Amino acid sequence: MLNKVVMFLNLADEPVIERLLTPRAALTAAEYLAFDLDHHVLVVMTDMTAYAEALREVAVLRGDVPARKGYPGYLYSDLAEIYERAGRIKNRRGSITMIPVLSMPSDDITHPIPDLTGYITEGQIVLGRDLANQGVYPPVTVLPSLSRLMKDGIGKNFTREDHPHVEPDVTIQGRDRPNPFECAVAVLACIGNEAEVISGEARGARGYYIGRHAGSDDKVWFPREAVEKLALDDRVRVRAKGLGLKIEGFEDVKVNKLSPELFEKLGLSIEGGEIVVPVVMEVPGHIMGSGMGFQPVESLDYDIQTTCPEIVERYKLKTLKLGDVVAIRDHSSVYSPGRHVGAVTIGTVIHGFSELAGHGPGVNPILSAMPGRIKVRIDPDANIAYYLGIKPRPN
């Protein structure tokens, strides 16, 4: 087998600048084998943590301004330059598949290196120290492992028919800032805004921006025939409109991430000085979890916890669907989600269940008010898919 292996090594006692050149030299060799000689090449890079630390060391010597944990602000784009050299080239037979391996400092998955790597690679396989100590091989920790491209391998005939509700439709990310949650699309785009593919085979396809998942993923809906033509790195333009929207006579009610067009279709009414909002269900604030306290509220979703079967059963959470409009009691999301007795937050469900502690169906806040300004009306069809015409209303 070694006659089919090309190895590039950088030892610990060698100059640190060589550590930055090694992966690039390896990828140049891989590109020659793949695109000149038509081979299918697997590139395994280990350890990218050592590479990032070398980049930090060189950046300090150059006098670059440090960002998170002292790493340079261009760590994201630098890693992307390496990871995005994987793939195929049109009219060439070969391909490059890349497996970057990294160790998480202090086993912290939110550390800048694994955090940014996950944004770029659209997925991760997490190996657990505890499982390895128990003799489990491979020691894959299932819950924190993920794939943002899983839509092509789930659902009917793959896993279960309702599985696509977990993470459906198309994921996009802004590239104008190092972190996706800081990008313009994350802060300015509003649910119901028009989205258009502006490059690639699906160019010209139109759909809707439907919300955000966590700090990384902006979600858009396109017709199925357009989705089949989409490819990695296709560009999507969102016509952002709605930030700063106010309701006349209810200026104290926070309108968040809600397009004017969708606002008009929510079926709102006014009774006794309160806005009446149709919702699928009311959720008690004490079962909310991940995302609470995060700022800015425009860039987040926060989760209804579903790790307790009794809670799921008591509040009939299994009936929730993507796009459902829900009311969260005793919660204010004016600046960031948090408890406030008597307040109400209205949100839309953007992703599905999770067995990870603190997590569950994610909610994008769209309206929030102090006590006495919002009341709700139960409507099982309160769902943005019906409002936007993505799905026909049930008879």
Side-chain angles (χ1 to χ4, degrees), residues 10 68 122 222 388:
N10 174 257
R68 295 168 60 194
E122 302 291 352
F222 288 110
L388 296 174

Side-chain angles (χ1 to χ4, degrees), residues 283-289 292 302 305 327-331 339:
V283 178
H286 70 267
I287 66 171
M288 300 305 293
M292 288 181 60
Y302 75 127
Q305 299 184 75
I328 304 169
R329 287 291 181 186
D330 298 321
H331 263 231
R339 179 170 171 79

